[in-house]
Amino acid sequence: MPVNYATPAAEQLHPVAGVRLGTAEAGIRKKDRRDLTLLALDAGCTVSGVFTQNRFCAAPVQLCRDHLASGKGIRALVINTGIANAGTGEPGRQAAQATCDAVGALLGIGADQVLPFSTGVILEPLPVDRIKAGLPAAKADLKPDNWLAAAHAIMTTDTVAKAASRTVAVNGKKVTISGVSKGAGMIRPNMATMLGFLATDAGISQALLDQLVRDAADDSFNCITVDGDTSTNDSFVMIASGQSGATFESAADAGWNEVRAAIIAVAVELAQAIVRDGEGATKFITVAVEGGKTGAECRQVGYAIGHSPLVKTAFFASDPNLGRILAAIGYAGIADLDVDGVKVWLDEVLVAELGGRAAAYREEDGARIMKQAEITVRVDLGRGNAAAKIYTCDFSYDYVKINADYRS
């Protein structure tokens, strides 16, 4: 079960004017489940995205980058689950293109105005004929209030659908933001298998949206790890329809800071939901690193702790074997780190300082914290003013079982 997370009810997810969503059963890999999602965008939407840094990036990722760069104006997104269309070479690229061709013909738009996304098993061919056959049903299902259905239809090993929504009032206008994400394993975005889609009815210039999607990713999806594996298909896409009447050309515009903060908050909620639903997760852990020279080195330390199988299994066992955290800090790669200046806390309990165990630390205090479902590891590097947060989970027996049975 996810750690302190429940899927929002359909009525809690607000429609975004200019965006319609539809789902269908295409039988891409498994029968009797909705595995195909179509988003239709009104003319005038601005769209931006960030994608996996894995060099073995999937064919749809390659095509998304090309279509966004073309500047033709994106009018549709198509998402399939079950097959990732990664590690499929030129036939995979042709399959992704054929999917875009089919969506374009169905909606009366250019194929280069379509962004394709796939998630699922790597190294297997995409069944394009099944996608083509399912698209008319997805089109017939297009509705502005279909966010919950879309959240369900993009799942793979997820145990719950992930969605978030909120509104913010700016300049006398109500701005709506809604989004969905999927992912539970192969999670360590570097912009898992991770997909995120977020839409707002604010009007946002292309340059401003391009910067916002990077900033939002850095504060959300680039701060999570389940197992340290960067997927071939990671994608985070942001859509701005402009239909609320609130428009922003630059960061200096009145109300932009409020809209930006609300959008990033939705992205953070979607990203944290992935970790809370991490494969086999029983605990949600925030690694807060402060006192660094740069944010990058703080993140480096945070990920060293969050990736460590020894740290993660200790959390699963509620075992305060906290030397594992010190070891991770030490091998994080900061060559000139003065370990005598480092302090480590579990929640409010000071665990380590002056190069070793804190004088006041008692193992029973550590054990008490380790039994909680949500835990904060705080690290002060004692060498500057920078800070960063990483969100992770524990490793349980179920992580191995889920991934051993993934293709069954």
Side-chain angles (χ1 to χ4, degrees):
M1 294 294 292
V3 182
N4 295 334
Y5 180 80
T7 305
E11 58 270 18
Q12 295 175 292
L13 302 173
H14 309 300
V16 175
V19 179
R20 293 174 296 141
L21 309 93
T23 66
E25 293 183 13
I28 292 167
R29 187 161 170 267
K30 295 182 179 179
K31 294 182 179 180
D32 302 321
R33 67 151 296 178
R34 290 185 175 262
D35 53 6
L36 183 64
T37 304
L38 183 65
L39 275 71
L41 314 182
D42 287 358
C45 289
T46 51
V47 181
S48 189
V50 289
F51 302 92
T52 182
Q53 295 299 305
N54 191 315
R55 292 299 300 162
F56 243 115
C57 66
V61 170
Q62 298 171 38
L63 216 56
C64 279
R65 287 172 171 154
D66 290 345
H67 290 183
L68 283 169
S70 74
K72 298 291 182 63
I74 302 302
R75 295 292 308 279
L77 283 65
V78 58
I79 308 141
N80 76 267
T81 187
I83 300 294
N85 195 13
T88 48
E90 182 57 30
R93 287 185 282 273
Q94 293 176 6
Q97 183 61 58
T99 300
C100 293
D101 292 342
V103 172
L106 185 68
L107 298 182
I109 58 177
D112 54 2
Q113 293 180 291
V114 180
L115 299 182
F117 304 87
S118 298
T119 183
V121 178
I122 298 169
L123 214 66
E124 293 189 10
L126 186 69
V128 179
D129 289 346
R130 297 177 196 172
I131 292 177
K132 289 180 179 179
L135 281 171
K139 178 186 176 184
D141 190 48
L142 287 171
K143 297 187 289 284
D145 59 352
N146 239 358
W147 286 97
L148 183 59
H152 280 283
I154 64 176
M155 293 166 58
T156 49
T157 60
D158 310 60
T159 67
V160 292
K162 303 166 180 68
S165 190
R166 64 185 61 195
T167 62
V168 59
V170 292
N171 304 333
K173 310 286 186 182
K174 184 177 82 167
V175 171
T176 299
I177 306 144
S178 290
V180 295
S181 64
K182 64 81 47 184
M186 196 178 272
I187 300 293
R188 191 264 163 120
N190 186 17
M191 330 165 251
T193 303
M194 188 227 88
L195 298 177
F197 305 98
L198 188 153
T200 178
D201 55 9
I204 304 174
S205 69
Q206 189 67 59
L208 200 56
L209 192 67
D210 290 346
Q211 183 62 53
L212 176 61
V213 75
R214 291 192 296 269
D215 291 346
D218 283 345
D219 285 350
S220 59
F221 296 107
N222 281 341
C223 291
I224 64 174
T225 179
V226 169
D227 46 26
D229 276 319
T230 294
S231 164
T232 53
N233 293 59
D234 291 340
S235 304
F236 174 43
V237 172
M238 201 173 283
I239 302 158
S241 73
Q243 296 196 18
S244 69
T247 59
F248 304 94
E249 290 295 324
S250 78
D253 290 347
W256 171 245
N257 288 338
E258 290 81 358
V259 170
R260 179 182 183 275
I263 289 173
I264 291 178
V266 170
V268 170
E269 185 175 342
L270 293 172
Q272 289 189 359
I274 290 173
V275 175
R276 292 180 184 279
D277 191 32
E279 290 171 344
T282 69
K283 294 176 183 177
F284 177 82
I285 302 153
T286 299
V287 184
V289 183
E290 60 191 54
K293 287 185 178 179
T294 66
E297 74 173 23
C298 291
R299 187 169 295 183
Q300 190 174 333
V301 170
Y303 268 126
I305 296 168
H307 288 159
S308 168
L310 291 177
V311 171
K312 293 161 80 69
T313 50
F315 276 110
F316 172 62
S318 299
D319 176 18
N321 189 354
L322 303 176
R324 295 177 176 184
I325 294 175
L326 294 189
I329 296 169
Y331 66 60
I334 302 178
D336 61 342
L337 180 66
D338 178 4
V339 298
D340 287 347
V342 175
K343 293 182 179 180
V344 179
W345 292 261
L346 278 184
D347 282 1
E348 78 286 354
V349 175
L350 180 64
V351 172
E353 63 178 342
L354 301 174
R357 179 192 292 257
Y361 175 67
R362 298 292 180 268
E363 184 149 322
E364 55 267 30
D365 293 329
R368 171 177 54 82
I369 301 298
M370 294 286 273
K371 291 177 182 177
Q372 299 173 177
E374 299 207 23
I375 301 164
T376 296
V377 176
R378 183 160 68 94
V379 179
D380 187 343
L381 298 176
R383 52 193 267 120
N385 297 314
K389 286 183 179 178
I390 299 298
Y391 306 101
T392 191
C393 58
D394 58 340
F395 265 163
S396 71
Y397 309 122
D398 286 342
Y399 178 85
V400 176
K401 294 177 183 177
I402 290 165
N403 283 282
D405 295 339
Y406 183 69
R407 297 202 302 163
S408 62

